[in-house]
Amino acid sequence: MPSDQRLNASSLPHFRHDLSTGQPRCELALLAETTNAQSLLVLQLHAPQHILESLHTTSQYSAPDSGYLSCAMDSLRPRLHYDILLQVLETCSLADGSRLMRTSRFFYTHGVVPLLSHRVIQIPEEEGKLQKFLAFLRVEGDRRYKLVRRLHLHTQPYEPEPSDYLGLVEALRCLTNLWELEILYSEDILSAHPDLPAVLAALSSLKTLSLLYMGERAITLVQTVHAELSSVDLSFGDHQGNPVVLTDIDPSRRTLLHPISLLERFKSSLEEISGSYWFMGPGWYDYPHLGNFVYPKVRRIQFDDGHELHLQATALMSAFPNLTHLKLKLYEEGSIPTAGEVEQYAIKCRRNCEAQQDQHYGWTELEEYEGGLADLYALGLLCPITTVTLVSEFESLAHTLGRVLALARPRRLRLEWWPFTQQTGEHQAFSFLKGQASQRLQSLSINARWHPRMDKEFDISAALESLLSAAPYVKLSTLRLTLSIESHESVELPWTPHDGKHSRPLSLAETSAESFDLRDYVRRFLAVTPSLNKVYIDMTGPGILQRKATFSAGELYFEDSRLNCEANAYTIPSTMHYVQ
């Protein structure tokens, strides 16, 4: 860097509204003046709102028609402090940030700190990106290596030569302050150079380790890591999401893949465990020695897509006595449980409940559960759960919702589907709220979609009336409903885009939604639930209709609009109604 190069121009921000993202955009022009020439560097940043606000100036300067700032020198113009410009540097990409560092000695010296230390550095799959990043780190001896805190390696080796990854081996030896590491293609990376497994295992500063697409080498790495990890995220699935590693491995070694035994060396430091396609065995009691492992600091665990994953409540309580957050999504997406599988869930629930009662110990209360109803039902947890989020459901298990919530007694309940069974029908969908399930309930949020073909005989109006009939039994303070009837490419829209006339006969679901009186519904809901202080209801569909109701701070608003079906980027002017 030439000694006479300096940042001579003050940088003035110019704000626009980015129509493609709907977010504010800051275009920052910097002038780097050298003895030989002037170079103009223009950075287009998608900066956080608090940074944009910090860049505001009281200057009366008007930007030129081109939208960029004039860089003519004017000592009377306000100037941004270097600290603000360094804050802007944090929002740059590595490529833009490295170019900015070449504009002045100040940025060359101090800009590397926010560029490397204050961000997650993600190396994408594109060929050559890893080598460019390593070349950037090699400048200034080992100074830049020590600034890297969080590194995500998403590069994928394609028939690599060991020499291609020698630079990565050398760099990892110098990353002495690295505390977060994610490797997307972990098995491929570990196979790229013979020294990589040992170098990664020797990273003593690591606190968070995430390995995806794991194989035998990745399993060995987890068992040999020297660091005291506080968070791990391990995925055994292949590139297509299949648990190939688990099916191919010797059955006698599968016990080692049980998370309780695999992570034994970190049991005194782990606070968070995440994993997918983990083999948990056909039952906890098949592996009695695992009950000796206790992870006292673990507060959060998350298991997704469990292959032969059979969780037992007492096993979790024994291994994780201080757990507060549990997230499970174990059933295969899109599959429907058979009658035999539904019966197996009932058997697991009964056994888990009996085991908790017999052993007289367990969690006092969980702060949050997120996942499927089937998994929570099978666990049969007897402790209360403050927040319950159910993200998927099968109609064959919907009848268990009342039992599950009666045990959990949540304060906040969020459903990503509308509770319904053929037995109860739309009119009794919320009958479960009239019992113990609503004993502590204060907040209810439902996000439901109805398909125009599969749900065409669903009476949406009756379903909403069912919720209203249960309202007097619940002391709700917050209600949030986001409801929509989806349009499908193979289903003709019920209205023409311009005049709103019916283009085909409406189904029961569409008719009941179209005739639903949202204003009257909200007023009746508030009348029977005096404890409510916040209400938000958004009904989209059928067709181009969109209706919203908001109640907050004692004020009630209604909004009606019609979506533009040809270019769904804006709404036809709506009518807003205010009721005090």
Side-chain angles (χ1 to χ4, degrees):
M1 179 69 63
S3 60
D4 57 347
Q5 183 173 348
R6 63 189 185 279
L7 185 70
N8 198 15
S10 175
S11 306
L12 296 175
H14 175 62
F15 299 93
R16 290 180 169 180
H17 196 73
D18 193 329
L19 297 180
S20 63
T21 64
Q23 299 296 322
R25 182 177 68 189
C26 172
E27 296 177 351
L28 180 63
L30 297 176
L31 178 66
E33 184 180 44
T34 65
T35 56
N36 299 322
Q38 290 183 340
S39 60
L40 180 64
L41 174 65
V42 177
L43 300 177
Q44 296 186 10
L45 311 176
H46 292 274
Q49 185 64 37
H50 72 278
I51 292 181
L52 297 182
E53 292 173 354
S54 69
L55 296 178
H56 275 297
T57 176
T58 57
S59 172
Q60 301 301 313
Y61 169 74
S62 298
D65 294 340
S66 64
Y68 291 103
L69 300 173
S70 171
C71 288
M73 307 313 304
D74 188 343
S75 60
L76 297 179
R77 295 177 186 171
R79 301 190 176 192
L80 290 179
H81 194 276
Y82 280 133
D83 288 342
I84 297 179
L85 293 175
L86 289 176
Q87 193 175 17
V88 171
L89 187 60
E90 293 184 26
T91 70
C92 296
S93 66
L94 282 174
D96 285 341
S98 62
R99 285 194 291 269
L100 179 56
M101 287 175 58
R102 293 196 293 268
T103 63
S104 77
R105 178 164 295 280
F106 173 82
F107 282 116
Y108 185 81
T109 303
H110 301 284
V112 69
V113 176
L115 195 62
L116 294 178
S117 297
H118 302 168
R119 67 172 67 231
V120 174
I121 299 173
Q122 180 172 308
I123 310 302
E125 293 188 36
E126 287 85 347
E127 186 176 357
K129 294 292 186 180
L130 176 60
Q131 301 305 325
K132 289 182 179 179
F133 173 68
L134 297 178
F136 178 79
L137 291 182
R138 282 192 288 269
V139 180
E140 299 185 274
D142 63 351
R143 176 176 179 252
R144 295 186 180 182
Y145 291 108
K146 294 180 179 180
L147 294 174
V148 178
R149 302 289 187 269
R150 296 180 290 175
L151 178 62
H152 291 188
L153 287 175
H154 290 183
T155 184
Q156 182 177 16
Y158 295 96
E159 300 181 357
E161 294 293 332
S163 58
D164 297 338
Y165 280 80
L166 180 60
L168 178 60
V169 172
E170 296 173 346
L172 288 170
R173 290 194 176 106
C174 300
L175 298 180
T176 54
N177 294 321
L178 185 69
W179 57 267
E180 179 181 321
L181 177 63
E182 176 182 289
I183 305 179
L184 180 57
Y185 302 99
S186 60
E187 195 69 11
D188 295 337
I189 289 291
L190 291 169
S191 306
H193 193 282
D195 292 340
L196 273 172
V199 171
L200 288 169
L203 291 172
S204 59
S205 61
L206 276 183
K207 296 298 180 183
T208 300
L209 178 63
S210 178
L211 301 176
L212 290 81
Y213 304 138
M214 293 178 63
E216 290 279 5
R217 292 180 177 85
I219 293 172
T220 302
L221 173 62
V222 173
Q223 295 171 326
T224 56
V225 167
H226 297 171
E228 294 293 320
L229 297 178
S230 62
S231 175
V232 295
D233 183 4
L234 309 178
S235 174
F236 289 94
D238 65 6
H239 298 182
Q240 286 74 42
N242 301 312
V244 173
V245 173
L246 301 180
T247 56
D248 292 346
I249 201 166
D250 185 345
S252 64
R253 295 188 60 242
R254 288 189 176 182
T255 306
L256 300 176
L257 297 185
H258 193 294
I260 305 303
S261 57
L262 181 61
L263 301 174
E264 176 195 2
R265 64 185 299 113
F266 316 114
K267 63 183 181 181
S268 62
S269 60
L270 271 179
E271 300 174 7
E272 184 172 352
I273 300 175
S274 301
S276 57
Y277 297 107
W278 279 37
F279 181 81
M280 297 288 281
W284 179 264
Y285 298 107
D286 290 347
Y287 309 125
H289 65 284
L290 297 176
N292 299 324
F293 300 139
V294 178
Y295 293 72
K297 293 185 178 180
V298 170
R299 299 292 187 269
R300 297 172 180 266
I301 59 176
Q302 173 181 343
F303 297 133
D304 297 331
D305 304 311
H307 178 64
E308 299 182 32
L309 184 57
H310 301 273
L311 293 174
Q312 294 190 17
T314 53
L316 290 174
M317 294 172 180
S318 175
F320 312 111
N322 298 309
L323 191 73
T324 58
H325 293 73
L326 176 62
K327 186 174 182 179
L328 299 176
K329 183 187 173 187
L330 307 182
Y331 212 90
E332 185 177 353
E333 192 74 25
S335 61
I336 300 176
T338 63
E341 289 173 324
V342 172
E343 178 62 24
Q344 286 299 313
Y345 274 108
I347 294 173
K348 292 176 185 177
C349 177
R350 183 173 65 253
R351 288 179 177 174
N352 276 322
C353 289
E354 292 173 352
Q356 292 173 75
Q357 293 168 348
D358 292 342
Q359 298 188 21
H360 303 290
Y361 72 89
W363 297 315
T364 304
E365 181 171 357
L366 285 181
E367 292 184 20
E368 182 176 6
Y369 170 85
E370 180 179 346
L373 171 61
D375 302 311
L376 186 55
Y377 172 57
L379 274 175
L381 297 179
L382 300 181
C383 66
I385 306 173
T386 303
T387 302
V388 173
T389 300
L390 301 176
V391 297
S392 62
E393 192 35 50
F394 315 102
E395 185 180 322
S396 56
L397 286 167
H399 67 280
T400 66
L401 180 60
R403 172 181 172 81
V404 167
L405 295 181
L407 293 176
R409 305 185 301 281
R411 297 186 186 277
R412 291 178 290 275
L413 174 61
R414 178 187 172 193
L415 301 177
E416 289 296 312
W417 43 274
W418 193 267
F420 170 77
T421 66
Q422 294 291 345
Q423 291 76 21
T424 61
E426 299 94 323
H427 298 274
Q428 299 297 323
F430 287 91
S431 58
F432 64 87
L433 289 179
K434 299 178 182 180
Q436 289 185 336
S438 61
Q439 190 177 52
R440 304 194 307 164
L441 192 61
Q442 299 174 354
S443 175
L444 176 62
S445 176
I446 302 176
N447 184 7
R449 293 179 175 85
W450 290 282
H451 191 278
R453 177 170 294 168
M454 294 186 295
D455 302 316
K456 62 182 180 180
E457 298 304 320
F458 188 87
D459 191 337
I460 295 176
S461 178
L464 288 167
E465 289 297 327
S466 171
L467 175 59
L468 178 60
S469 68
Y473 299 88
V474 189
K475 294 182 179 180
L476 284 179
S477 61
T478 303
L479 174 67
R480 183 179 184 90
L481 305 178
T482 305
L483 315 173
S484 65
I485 300 178
E486 297 181 340
S487 296
H488 195 271
E489 294 179 357
S490 61
V491 179
E492 184 182 3
L493 288 173
W495 288 272
T496 55
H498 299 293
D499 56 20
K501 295 181 179 179
H502 294 172
S503 60
R504 59 168 171 80
L506 301 183
S507 66
L508 173 60
E510 293 167 333
T511 302
S512 62
E514 181 188 30
S515 60
F516 183 75
D517 190 340
L518 180 60
R519 293 176 177 78
D520 177 65
Y521 181 79
V522 174
R523 292 190 182 99
R524 287 188 290 136
F525 214 113
L526 291 172
V528 300
T529 318
S531 56
L532 271 175
N533 52 51
K534 289 184 179 180
V535 176
Y536 176 80
I537 301 179
D538 184 346
M539 293 187 66
T540 301
I544 60 178
L545 292 178
Q546 185 173 36
R547 289 160 288 177
K548 296 180 181 180
T550 304
F551 176 73
S552 181
E555 297 179 349
L556 181 59
Y557 296 89
F558 295 102
E559 182 179 358
D560 299 328
S561 61
R562 290 179 178 269
L563 296 174
N564 186 321
C565 297
E566 291 184 336
N568 197 16
Y570 62 92
T571 58
I572 298 174
S574 61
T575 57
M576 176 75 78
H577 304 272
Y578 163 71
V579 181
Q580 187 165 3

